[in-house]
C-alpha cells in the first residue's frame, strides 16, 4: 500500500489549523519543536513554582495560632505539592523526565516564580500569600485553562478548583485580623505592604519587554498577556482590600470612570534582581529544595522497589 508522507510545511499548517479551531494539541500529535520547547520551559517552571511555593508557608505550620488554622494551612500546602505533581506529569508528556526537570532547577537553569523568594515574617503573611499570591496565580490559571496543550489545560482545570479555595482562606485570615486588635490590624497592613508588589511581579515583565509573549499568544499557549492579566488582578483586588479596611501601598492609585485603576509601576530593577537569583531568599529556597531532595532519595528508591515487587 502506498503511503504519502506529509511535508513539514503541511504538518505545520494542520497544527495551526487545529490551534485556530480551538482544538487541543495532544502528546502524540505532531507539533513544531519550538512549541514543544516553549511548553517544556513554561510548564516545568510552573511546576517548580508550586513546589518551591510550599516553603514560605511551610515555615508557619508549627506556629499556626490554632489547631484549626494549622489543619487548614497543612491542607493548603499539601494541595500546592499536588499541583506540582499534576504539572510535572503534564510536562513529562513532552518527552523530558522528572529527574531532568529537577536537575535543571538545581543547576539554576530553570526558573520559578520570583514571589517565593520573599520571607514570610508573620502569621498575617499566611493571609497575604493566600489572598494575593494565590489570587494572582488563579487570575493567570483561569486563563490558562484554555491553553492549547491538552495535558496543561486539563491540569489547570483541576488546579483552579483548589486554588480558589486557597484565595478565600487567605482573604479570611486577613478579614479576621482586620476585625481584631490594633496590633493585628497593623500586622495585616504590614503583610499587604510587603506582598503587594511581589504579587504584581508574578505576571512577568510588561508585554513590550516580554520576549516569550508573541509566540505564546500566536500558538495560544498563553491566552492573555502579562499586562492584561496584571490589570485584571489589580482591578479586582483593590476593592477587596478596601472592603476590609486595608490600604493598598500605592500613593498613585486612582479609580477611573471605567472602574479600572490608575497605579504606579513596578520596580523592575528589583524584579530582575529577584528573577536572576539575587532576591532575599533565592539561595535559601534552592538550598532547601536540594537538601530535601537528597534526603528523600531513599523514599523514592523504596517506592520504586515496592512497585517492582508488586509487578
Ligand atoms: N518569576 O517573556 P516572559 C503559584 C521569566 S503558581 C520568575 O514574560 P513568559 C501557586 C520568564 O520565565 C505561580 N521568572 O515569559 C502557589 C522568562 O524566563 P526564561 C507560577 C519570571 O513565560 C501559590 C523571562 O522572565 N505561575 O503561585 C517571572 O511568557 C501560593 C521573560 O518573561 C506560573 O508559572 C516571575 N514572576 O511569561 C503556590 C503560570 N516573570 O525562561 C504556593 C504559568 C517572568 O525565558 C503558594 N506561567 N519570568 O529565561 C506563565 O504564565 C508565564 O510563564 C509567566 C511569564 C507569566 C510567568
Amino acid at each position: 500500500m502506498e503511503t504519502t508522507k506529509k511535508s513539514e510545511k503541511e504538518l505545520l499548517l494542520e497544527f495551526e489549523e487545529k490551534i485556530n479551531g480551538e482544538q487541543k494539541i495532544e502528546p502524540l500529535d505532531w507539533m513544531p519543536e519550538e512549541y514543544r520547547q516553549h511548553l517544556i520551559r513554561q510548564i516545568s517552571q510552573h511546576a517548580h513554582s508550586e513546589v518551591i511555593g510550599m516553603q514560605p508557608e511551610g515555615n508557619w505550620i508549627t506556629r499556626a495560632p490554632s489547631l484549626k488554622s494549622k489543619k487548614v494551612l497543612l491542607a493548603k500546602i499539601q494541595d500546592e505539592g499536588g499541583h506540582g505533581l499534576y504539572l510535572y506529569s503534564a510536562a513529562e508528556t513532552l518527552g523530558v523526565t522528572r529527574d531532568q526537570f529537577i536537575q535543571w532547577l538545581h543547576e539554576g537553569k530553570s526558573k520559578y516564580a520570583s514571589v517565593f523568594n520573599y520571607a514570610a515574617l508573620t502569621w498575617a503573611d499566611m493571609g497575604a500569600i493566600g489572598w494575593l499570591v494565590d489570587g494572582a496565580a488563579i487570575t493567570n490559571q483561569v486563563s490558562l485553562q484554555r491553553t492549547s496543550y491538552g495535558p496543561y489545560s486539563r491540569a489547570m482545570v483541576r488546579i483552579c478548583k483548589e486554588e480558589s479555595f486557597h484565595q478565600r482562606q487567605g482573604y479570611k485570615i486577613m478579614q479576621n485580623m482586620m476585625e481584631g486588635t490594633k496590633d493585628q490590624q497593623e500586622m495585616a497592613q504590614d503583610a499587604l505592604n510587603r506582598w503587594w508588589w511581589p504579587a504584581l511581579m508574578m505576571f512577568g515583565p510588561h508585554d513590550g519587554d516580554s520576549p516569550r509573549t508573541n509566540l505564546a499568544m500566536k500558538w495560544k499557549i498563553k491566552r492573555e498577556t502579562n499586562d492584561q492579566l496584571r490589570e485584571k488582578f489589580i482591578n479586582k483586588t483593590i476593592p477587596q482590600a478596601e472592603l476590609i479596611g486595608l490600604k493598598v501601598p500605592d500613593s498613585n492609585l486612582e479609580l477611573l470612570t471605567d472602574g479600572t485603576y490608575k497605579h504606579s509601576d513596578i520596580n523592575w530593577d528589583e524584579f530582575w534582581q529577584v528573577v536572576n537569583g539575587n532576591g532575599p531568599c533565592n539561595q535559601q529556597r534552592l538550598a532547601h529544595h536540594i537538601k530535601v531532595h537528597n534526603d528523600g532519595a531513599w523514599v523514592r528508591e523504596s517506592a520504586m522497589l515496592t512497585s517492582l515487587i508488586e509487578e
Side-chain angles (χ1 to χ4, degrees):
M1 199 172 71
E2 200 176 302
T3 52
T4 49
K5 203 160 178 267
K6 289 181 184 160
S7 70
E8 183 110 345
K9 212 171 152 190
E10 286 169 317
L11 289 166
L12 181 62
L13 209 68
E14 273 181 16
F15 166 83
E16 294 196 319
E17 267 171 16
K18 269 194 203 163
I19 301 250
N20 294 336
E22 294 294 331
Q23 274 177 270
K24 298 292 178 211
I25 305 300
E26 296 298 338
L28 298 180
D29 292 347
W30 184 90
M31 61 185 84
E33 192 49 28
E34 225 181 337
Y35 178 81
R36 183 190 301 277
Q37 292 304 330
H38 195 115
L39 284 168
I40 288 172
R41 177 195 64 88
Q42 178 168 324
I43 306 174
S44 64
Q45 293 189 170
H46 196 162
H48 297 326
S49 303
E50 300 281 357
V51 172
I52 297 274
M54 295 163 79
Q55 291 189 37
E57 289 172 301
N59 181 33
W60 277 90
I61 294 172
T62 54
R63 289 176 287 164
S66 69
L67 182 58
K68 186 175 173 216
S69 55
K70 189 196 286 278
K71 274 163 58 184
V72 173
L73 185 63
L74 257 174
K76 193 258 186 212
I77 297 170
Q78 212 169 0
D79 284 352
E80 305 298 358
H83 297 173
L85 296 183
Y86 302 156
L87 286 162
Y88 282 126
S89 301
E92 281 173 295
T93 64
L94 293 153
V96 178
T97 63
R98 179 91 53 98
D99 284 346
Q100 180 65 75
F101 288 132
I102 303 296
Q103 193 183 331
W104 284 334
L105 173 69
H106 290 176
E107 290 170 354
K109 290 183 183 153
S110 190
K111 296 185 167 73
Y112 58 86
S114 51
V115 71
F116 300 119
N117 292 307
Y118 292 83
L121 303 178
T122 70
W123 175 252
D125 288 22
M126 298 304 96
I129 293 176
W131 172 37
L132 302 173
V133 177
D134 283 274
I138 305 169
T139 308
N140 190 355
Q141 290 171 161
V142 164
S143 178
L144 286 172
Q145 290 181 122
R146 294 183 296 117
T147 189
S148 56
Y149 188 56
Y152 192 22
S153 160
R154 290 188 287 275
M156 286 296 106
V157 173
R158 289 186 68 169
I159 288 175
C160 280
K161 288 190 181 131
E162 293 176 356
E163 215 84 276
S164 54
F165 158 76
H166 297 168
Q167 191 270 354
R168 291 187 77 84
Q169 69 83 30
Y171 188 62
K172 185 73 190 142
I173 291 175
M174 295 305 254
Q175 191 179 13
N176 287 347
M177 294 191 91
M178 291 308 287
E179 286 166 1
T181 63
K182 190 162 172 291
D183 281 353
Q184 286 171 321
Q185 291 169 1
E186 281 170 8
M187 209 186 272
Q189 181 62 53
D190 171 62
L192 170 60
N193 294 349
R194 286 181 291 104
W195 290 94
W196 177 252
W197 293 105
L200 297 192
M201 291 176 194
M202 288 174 73
F203 296 96
H206 279 314
D207 296 348
D209 301 320
S210 160
R212 306 286 193 179
T213 290
N214 279 350
L215 190 70
M217 293 298 286
K218 175 178 158 202
W219 282 340
K220 299 189 180 172
I221 294 170
K222 289 198 321 199
R223 303 307 302 257
E224 287 168 279
T225 68
N226 299 358
D227 284 328
Q228 284 168 344
L229 291 166
R230 183 169 20 244
E231 293 306 313
K232 256 191 194 175
F233 174 74
I234 290 173
N235 294 331
K236 72 179 170 195
T237 308
I238 293 172
Q240 291 170 1
E242 288 172 349
L243 188 68
I244 56 174
L246 284 165
K247 191 172 178 318
V248 170
D250 181 348
S251 54
N252 291 318
L253 278 190
E254 189 186 325
L255 179 60
L256 304 175
T257 48
D258 63 358
T260 64
Y261 287 86
K262 186 167 148 268
H263 54 85
S264 305
D265 203 3
I266 284 169
N267 177 344
W268 292 109
D269 183 44
E270 177 182 329
F271 170 78
W272 288 114
Q273 284 290 337
V274 181
V275 169
N276 290 320
N278 305 315
C281 301
N282 292 61
Q283 286 182 10
Q284 180 187 329
R285 298 289 184 240
L286 212 51
H288 184 72
H289 193 284
I290 292 171
K291 179 180 183 308
V292 170
H293 186 72
N294 292 339
D295 289 351
W298 70 271
V299 179
R300 292 189 297 280
E301 280 160 22
S302 310
M304 288 299 286
L305 270 178
T306 312
S307 69
L308 283 178
I309 292 166
E310 280 171 0
E311 272 172 20

